[in-house]
Every structure is written in structure tokens, then in C-alpha cells.
């Protein structure tokens, strides 16, 4: 899984039907010292993640397909947890 | 899903089975800078290497698309073709407020 920070959202009317009704959030993956690393990705969100919250992303399509309830959905990146705070051993 | 700008279309001549009759878009993937500064300077191509995605949503040149890579790209098929990138959404608008 990947730690990321919610930094926005996208709207799309013409998309794969299994995404209908899902929030599509722009998530910026974070590296080991919680700084932006790499390009933002768009993840499905059902937890109501808020702006600038740290979340946990999964890229496991099987879990995403189950969540959207469509075994033929291309869904992949999905927010599976909202992080309170993460401790690193200094 | 990742964002990218459609910069061209690809027509295949000889294909492996299951790929004929499909529509292919050439996409330039967005980087973090593209999200922040947008593509206003008319330059549609980013520093990332472009890729070809399978399309059945009707994306055109200049559109912003959300594409999905990996095995999941072949999920929406009864007998999956050998593809690893598919157009999953035509993006209308994006709202981006990075935390500085």
C-alpha cells in the first residue's frame, strides 16, 4: 500500500459505469519523509476523506472491483484508510 | 487511475488476435507540475514518456483522460485482450489545491 495526501478531486461524466457515484480524489503519493513523491494519482474514495488528509492507497484491483460491485470494472487505486498520524522511529 | 492529455491517435495494421477494431489514443502522462501549473502554455506534452491506451469512451486529441494501467486494464472484457492501459474516464474538470 501507499501513503498519500488528498490534494483535490476530479469530475467525469463519461467514464466506466462502475465508477458512477464514486468520489474521484487526487492523491499525492508521499515518500519516506512524508514529502510529495511522484505524480498524483486518482483514487476511488468511499470513506469521505477530506482535503489534505493523509490516506492509505491500495492498487489491488480485486479489492476495488469488489468495492464497486462489478467484476469487469477496471477500478484499481482506492483509498482504504484515513491515517490519524504516522510515527517513524527517528 | 492517472491523468494524461491525449496528444494523438494510433492506427494499428497487423495486430495480435483480440486487438482488431479497437481505438487507440496516444497520451502524455501528467506530472505533479502539470497538476500545479496546468497546460496553459499550450504545451500539451509533459516530461513523462507517452503511452498508448485502449479507448472506447471516444477520447479526442486535447482531451484530459483518466487511464488505468496494469492487469486491471483488461478487466472490462469477456475474453481479455493483451492490453495494459485503458481509458477509464474523460475528465471534465479537476480541482487541485496542494498543501504548501
Amino acid at each position: 500500500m501507499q501513503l498519500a495526501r488528498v490534494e483535490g478531486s476530479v469530475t467525469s461524466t463519461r467514464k466506466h459505469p462502475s465508477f458512477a457515484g464514486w468520489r474521484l480524489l487526487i492523491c499525492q503519493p508521499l515518500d519516506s519523509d512524508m514529502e510529495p513523491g511522484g505524480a498524483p494519482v486518482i483514487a476511488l474514495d468511499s470513506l469521505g476523506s477530506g482535503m489534505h488528509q493523509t490516506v492509505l492507497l491500495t492498487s489491488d484491483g480485486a479489492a476495488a472491483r469488489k468495492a464497486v460491485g462489478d467484476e469487469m470494472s477496471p477500478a484499481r487505486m482506492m483509498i482504504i484508510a484515513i491515517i490519524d498520524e504516522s510515527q517513524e522511529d527517528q | 487511475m492517472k491523468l494524461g492529455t491525449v496528444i494523438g491517435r494510433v492506427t494499428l495494421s497487423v495486430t495480435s488476435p483480440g486487438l482488431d477494431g479497437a481505438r487507440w489514443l496516444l497520451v502524455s502522462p501528467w506530472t505533479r507540475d502539470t497538476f500545479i501549473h496546468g497546460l496553459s502554455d499550450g504545451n500539451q506534452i509533459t516530461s513523462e514518456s507517452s503511452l498508448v491506451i485502449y479507448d472506447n469512451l471516444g477520447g479526442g486529441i486535447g482531451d484530459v483522460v483518466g487511464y488505468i494501467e496494469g492487469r486491471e486494464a483488461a478487466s472490462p472484457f469477456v475474453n481479455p485482450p493483451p492490453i495494459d492501459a485503458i481509458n477509464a474516464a474523460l475528465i471534465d474538470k479537476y480541482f487541485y489545491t496542494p498543501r504548501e
Side-chain angles (χ1 to χ4, degrees), chain A:
Chain A
M1 276 92 69
Q2 169 92 45
L3 275 177
R5 178 181 302 133
V6 175
E7 289 191 336
S9 61
V10 301
T11 58
S12 167
T13 40
R14 187 140 173 72
K15 57 194 176 215
H16 190 273
S18 63
F19 292 167
W22 281 76
R23 293 174 75 218
L24 299 172
L25 297 186
I26 302 176
C27 299
Q28 170 60 61
L30 302 173
D31 54 23
S32 50
D33 41 31
M34 303 300 272
E35 286 308 314
V41 296
I42 314 301
L44 296 171
D45 171 56
S46 64
L47 307 178
S49 315
M51 187 62 73
H52 298 156
Q53 278 193 311
T54 306
V55 293
L56 199 57
L57 290 184
T58 181
S59 58
D60 165 27
R65 283 193 298 276
K66 215 175 266 111
V68 298
D70 176 357
E71 273 315 302
M72 291 178 70
S73 165
R76 187 172 177 207
M77 300 297 284
M78 190 169 69
I79 294 177
I80 55 170
I82 300 174
I83 309 293
D84 289 338
E85 52 177 304
S86 59
Q87 282 83 19
E88 296 113 30
D89 35 26
Q90 262 62 27

Side-chain angles (χ1 to χ4, degrees), chain B residues 38-82:
Chain B
L39 291 164
S40 52
D41 54 12
N43 174 9
Q44 305 272 26
I45 299 182
T46 69
S47 54
E48 291 289 308
S49 52
S50 301
L51 72 152
V52 178
I53 66 174
Y54 177 94
D55 170 60
N56 60 1
L57 295 177
I61 294 182
D63 285 354
V64 178
V65 292
Y67 62 93
I68 290 177
E69 291 173 297
R71 203 181 141 280
E72 286 74 16
S75 297
F77 298 89
V78 174
N79 29 38

